[in-house]
Amino acid sequence: MIVRSVLLAFVWGISATAFAWTYSAPITVNTLSKPGTFLHLESSGNRSLALGKSTIAVAWEDNRSGQPQVYVAYKSHTSKSFTAAQRVSADGPAYEPAIAALPDRGFIVAWEAKGHVWARLVSPGHRAELQRVSNALARQVTISVAPSGKIWLAWSARAGRHYQIVVTTARVKSGQLQVEAARAVDPVAPRQDQQYPSLAVSADGTTVAWEDRRYGHTRIFTAFAYPGQWFSPLRQLNRVKRHRRDVIGNGTGSMRVVLASNGKHSIVASWLDKRNFAEGYDVYAAFSHDGGKTFGKNEKVQDMFGADQAQWHAVSAMDQHGHALVAWDDQRNGNPDIWMSWRDNQGWSDDESPAGAGGPGAQTHPALVFDEHGRAHIAYLDQQQGQSSIRYLVATPDKGEFADSP
């Protein structure tokens, strides 16, 4: 045990200084210090952070007004600070906002309130008319925007006793959001809940993924739609070889799938997976190189030093060249820190904790997106002695770090 402890300390010491990425100093997006106030940076499909042509936007939920509300803050690419928080939700509790950049200007933000999904077009200093986009009871909305400006939205909608994943499209015309009627991805009436969808648009079409409990434990399913067509029959993403001695109850679970596309033919999916149940949840990923029609083998992402820890809040991103990055939080160093790993043709890298996103307190709930220059933008929650903050930094890969990516 002494040898192992020394080895771990040595390796962790290296990982704290010998970074494969260069990190900007973290800046604060928003802070709440009043007792009993909390920030929540989470959305279905990792859509809390969006990059426009000239502006970065972060969407979150907090209860500074006495009840949960949705806020957005902005930063120009040249600015060193974010704007003050802009409230975008109406009266009444609002939850789990998702945000995406529009090709021309501004953003679309959507969230759950009063049992429905609502959406709004926003930009710094401007809020368009608030619109309800769901008919049935709805929750857990996510967004993806195609280069053409076509907006895809998915959420979990009530259908009888259970919830099912529905998808719709929208466009912006004359400054207003025009939304089509939502349709179920799976035409079969749900036997158990379908929840937490994620969307990705590629050059080949659109892919949706979600959590599904139809077999008594949570599996991850995907479905693909060619342009102008509806979604094909679903496929299971998490692949587990079942042995009777390994099965507890109906089987191990998977959750919180995130899809990310390079806009061409590649998509990476990441999720939390409990197939090695003694370790808690692990981070897994799989790749598609046909635009989301099929995915390859399941790959365990975190390294050996995270193997005896439960991972949480895994998210993924992909740059325009198909380089994949996955981030999450775990407590291998005694408190929650942000960790990340990237993929080359040798497999997943050793885990790295971004400078400034670890240490005392708790750093959790990362949001992740690449810009056109290959830099990773990261937002995360930082909790320190009763103060809750959203922090933001930029990670630039060192030259050659992705040279051997598949």
Side-chain angles (χ1 to χ4, degrees), residues 78-97:
T78 57
S79 175
K80 295 182 179 180
S81 62
F82 280 83
T83 65
Q86 178 188 58
R87 178 172 153 179
V88 299
S89 57
D91 293 336
Y95 307 97
E96 297 185 354

Side-chain angles (χ1 to χ4, degrees), residues 137-140 154-158 163-165 194-197:
L137 293 176
R139 60 192 186 188
Q140 301 157 0
W155 61 84
S156 182
R158 186 71 176 263
Y163 282 80
Q164 67 182 170
I165 301 304
Q194 303 167 15
Q195 57 188 4
Y196 291 105

Side-chain angles (χ1 to χ4, degrees), residues 167-345:
V167 175
T168 189
T169 59
R171 285 192 178 276
V172 179
K173 293 186 178 180
S174 302
Q176 297 296 318
L177 189 64
Q178 297 189 353
V179 184
E180 300 293 328
R183 295 171 58 188
V185 174
D186 184 357
V188 178
R191 295 179 294 175
Q192 293 291 339
D193 285 342
Q194 303 167 15
Q195 57 188 4
Y196 291 105
S198 184
L199 286 165
V201 179
S202 70
D204 302 285
T206 302
T207 304
V208 60
W210 68 93
E211 298 178 17
D212 197 301
R213 293 193 58 83
R214 71 184 65 195
Y215 294 109
H217 64 116
T218 309
R219 303 187 187 191
I220 306 295
F221 286 98
T222 69
F224 175 82
Y226 287 100
Q229 298 183 26
W230 196 239
F231 289 91
S232 61
L234 56 89
R235 295 172 178 265
Q236 186 172 328
L237 178 62
N238 62 312
R239 299 171 182 173
V240 181
K241 183 179 294 186
R242 292 171 63 91
H243 297 289
R244 185 176 300 275
R245 66 179 181 275
D246 296 331
V247 174
I248 296 179
N250 291 313
T252 58
S254 300
M255 68 175 187
R256 303 304 188 272
V257 61
V258 172
L259 300 177
S261 171
N262 70 341
K264 300 173 185 176
H265 305 287
S266 294
I267 291 176
V268 61
S270 65
W271 66 95
L272 293 173
D273 198 301
K274 213 170 186 180
R275 67 186 70 181
N276 301 315
F277 55 86
E279 300 174 0
Y281 284 102
D282 294 319
V283 183
Y284 274 80
F287 288 87
S288 172
H289 298 296
D290 56 11
K293 292 186 282 291
T294 61
F295 283 84
K297 66 179 181 178
N298 294 184
E299 301 176 358
K300 191 174 182 179
V301 174
Q302 80 270 11
D303 65 21
M304 61 180 289
F305 298 110
D308 60 350
Q309 298 290 322
Q311 277 69 46
W312 299 103
H313 312 118
V315 297
S316 53
M318 181 174 276
D319 73 8
Q320 61 185 342
H321 302 294
H323 304 139
L325 181 67
V326 175
W328 66 91
D329 58 79
D330 70 39
Q331 299 190 51
R332 71 184 70 183
N333 283 350
N335 49 268
D337 297 323
I338 304 298
W339 294 89
M340 65 186 201
S341 179
W342 54 100
R343 182 68 161 81
D344 60 29
N345 67 354

Side-chain angles (χ1 to χ4, degrees), residues 342-348 401-406:
W342 54 100
R343 182 68 161 81
D344 60 29
N345 67 354
Q346 302 299 315
W348 290 92
E401 195 56 49
F402 285 130
D404 297 323
S405 291

